[in-house]
Amino acid sequence: MAPNPSCTLMPFSELQLQLDERAAQGLLRQRRTVSGPQAPQLVLDGKPYLSFCSNDYLGLASHPQLVEALQLGAERYGVGAGAAHLVSGHFEAHEQLENELAAFVNKPAALLFSTGYMANLGAVQALTGRDDTVFADKLNHASLNDAMLLSRATVKRYPHCDMEQLAAMLMETKRGRKLICTDAVFSMDGDRAPLPELLGLCEKYDAWLLVDDAHGFGVSGAQGRGSLSFAGVQSPRIIYMATLGKAAGVSGAFVAAEQAVIDTLVNNARSYVYTTATPPALSVALLESLRLIAGGDELRCHLQSLIAQLRAALTGLPWPLMESDTAIQPLLIGENQAALALSMALRERGIWVAAIRPPTVPAGTARLRITLSAAHTASDVDRLTEALYELAQEF
Ligand SMILES: *Cc1c(COP(=O)(O)O)cnc(C)c1O
């Protein structure tokens, strides 16, 4: 039968209409193509920029020792894992990395996932179900929000870092397992969750705490051991998750927790069971990354000095920097189009900073998400500062 043109075309013209609407609101997302490695000096669509928008906080994404480790890994294991971890895709390098990660974050066991998104989906889905309740900070990462839906648990979201509201919600929840989910460092705000208070509530109300440390691992805490070390908290109740594509500079993620939790994930986390293992060569690179992180005090020191430099320099702008002591330093603009225009004007000056708009952040809080990296220099920060002051005159 010949396809009916009105049937095949209509759905797509509707999609186009929706895309056009998005564009009119300044919300259309578009990709740019990078040539060469991730670095502050970034070539995007063929043009050089000074970039302040990667999560490569320690500048490890193109580190020569990691490149070499990846090459050695490929020589030893080839390119693909060829199967899921539970079939024939779990290699020595994965096993060794899991053991070292667990020890590094002071947990009995750890489990590798292919991405942080999948780790969150898997952990929440495997640990909670219909009779349980998941409590979540309203500013948590999208992957935790999606994870809660997938788990089919009852979802209770509390206002950002509002421990009183959370306590009230915990108190009124009588049955089932209780799991609190939080970003340790909030990805679009740069501020930190009150981990000691959260753990206190877990103890009082017999709940578990899933801490997503995508932006703390490698950067925060002694030797970059992450936000638990930074906050000085540790407990079997804490299920720790961190990503390996940000400060660690490679790819993937892990969950670290009590052995029974990890064994449950191995058996029940669908995003672990039903997916091909990450290439073992990546684990070889990550083992090297872990060494660079542990020995990376100088990198972290330099990053801290850049953060202090930026915060001191930007106090005179019409737009406030949000409260943050991490590498994520968002400049709060407000309106979508204004954030976009500012980001475009920086671009014309050869500086790349991402404008973050709803639905990634709440309406009316569009921002420039400035992220710093140990690979930046003090004069890179000066260049951004000067450009922002110039633009403040014009806007
Ligand atoms: C980036 C990020 C993730 C997802 O990690 P990927 O490895 O990129 O999939 C999860 N949680 C938070 C808070 C993140 O910032």
Side-chain angles (χ1 to χ4, degrees):
M1 207 166 64
N4 177 341
S6 70
C7 284
T8 52
L9 284 177
M10 271 308 284
F12 301 111
S13 57
E14 191 182 321
L15 290 183
Q16 193 56 52
L17 222 62
Q18 289 165 345
L19 287 166
D20 294 346
E21 264 169 42
R22 258 178 175 263
Q25 294 171 305
L27 292 176
L28 193 68
R29 297 162 187 262
Q30 282 172 305
R31 300 172 304 163
R32 315 283 160 169
T33 306
V34 178
S35 16
Q38 181 64 257
Q41 313 296 331
L42 197 63
V43 180
L44 274 162
D45 288 344
K47 291 192 207 119
Y49 291 94
L50 174 59
S51 154
F52 291 91
C53 51
S54 86
N55 303 310
D56 180 24
Y57 300 124
L58 297 179
L60 298 184
S62 53
H63 195 288
Q65 276 171 252
L66 296 197
V67 174
E68 194 189 331
L70 184 60
Q71 285 166 340
L72 287 174
E75 276 167 30
R76 177 148 182 207
Y77 295 108
V79 178
H85 283 279
L86 287 168
V87 183
S88 64
H90 188 63
F91 287 77
E92 286 162 342
H94 295 132
E95 183 71 20
Q96 190 189 343
L97 179 61
E98 285 178 347
N99 292 336
E100 292 198 16
L101 286 168
F104 193 62
V105 301
N106 195 20
K107 285 286 188 188
L111 188 70
L112 278 175
F113 282 81
S114 298
T115 70
Y117 189 98
M118 293 167 75
N120 280 339
L121 288 192
V124 179
Q125 167 263 315
L127 296 172
T128 62
R130 286 184 197 284
D131 297 330
D132 304 323
T133 308
V134 180
F135 304 83
D137 191 293
K138 281 201 172 155
L139 295 191
N140 276 351
H141 190 260
S143 56
L144 281 173
N145 295 340
D146 295 355
M148 302 187 303
L149 297 181
L150 193 65
S151 76
R152 297 183 170 88
T154 301
V155 169
K156 297 190 177 175
R157 296 174 82 203
Y158 54 91
H160 184 46
C161 293
D162 187 335
M163 295 299 100
E164 275 179 34
Q165 290 257 356
L166 173 58
M169 289 173 175
L170 285 161
M171 198 163 10
E172 72 186 21
T173 305
K174 303 284 184 233
R175 63 186 192 113
R177 199 173 278 160
K178 299 171 206 163
L179 176 68
I180 302 172
C181 294
T182 188
D183 285 18
V185 173
F186 288 87
S187 54
M188 296 301 137
D189 298 68
D191 60 338
R192 297 175 190 275
L195 294 179
E197 287 80 0
L198 284 164
L199 181 57
L201 290 178
C202 285
E203 278 159 1
K204 185 163 176 193
Y205 295 103
D206 191 21
W208 299 347
L209 182 61
L210 173 59
V211 175
D212 175 340
D213 203 20
H215 301 280
F217 180 76
V219 192
S220 290
Q223 292 181 294
R225 285 170 198 267
S227 293
L228 300 185
S229 153
F230 179 85
V233 296
Q234 194 52 271
S235 161
R237 289 181 184 278
I238 296 179
I239 297 148
Y240 180 81
M241 173 274 185
T243 62
L244 300 168
K246 289 171 179 159
V250 186
S251 182
F254 68 99
V255 173
E258 296 301 299
Q259 189 68 53
V261 172
I262 297 303
D263 291 346
T264 301
L265 298 189
V266 169
N267 283 275
N268 292 352
R270 300 176 65 82
S271 63
Y272 184 80
V273 175
Y274 298 107
T275 199
T276 301
T278 52
L282 293 182
S283 290
V284 177
L286 280 161
L287 284 162
E288 186 62 20
S289 173
L290 204 50
R291 275 169 221 127
L292 293 175
I293 287 172
D297 281 347
E298 260 176 55
L299 295 175
R300 282 180 289 273
C301 234
H302 176 56
L303 179 60
Q304 278 309 318
S305 80
L306 296 174
I307 293 167
Q309 180 192 346
L310 183 82
R311 291 196 70 84
L314 295 190
T315 47
L317 287 177
W319 314 286
L321 267 181
M322 297 176 68
E323 206 47 58
S324 159
D325 68 348
T326 65
I328 302 166
Q329 292 290 326
L331 197 61
L332 188 60
I333 311 297
E335 293 309 312
N336 299 339
Q337 294 293 6
L340 210 57
L342 196 56
S343 163
M344 291 304 251
L346 283 170
R347 241 167 253 188
E348 279 159 22
R349 285 166 168 72
I351 299 175
W352 201 276
V353 184
I356 308 287
R357 291 154 286 163
T360 309
V361 294
T365 70
R367 63 200 68 174
L368 290 188
R369 180 176 180 267
I370 302 168
T371 54
L372 295 168
S373 160
H376 284 118
T377 63
S379 57
D380 290 339
V381 173
D382 285 341
R383 220 183 118 193
L384 172 63
T385 303
E386 281 157 25
L388 283 168
Y389 275 94
E390 271 176 43
L391 290 170
Q393 302 282 319
E394 291 174 26
F395 271 71

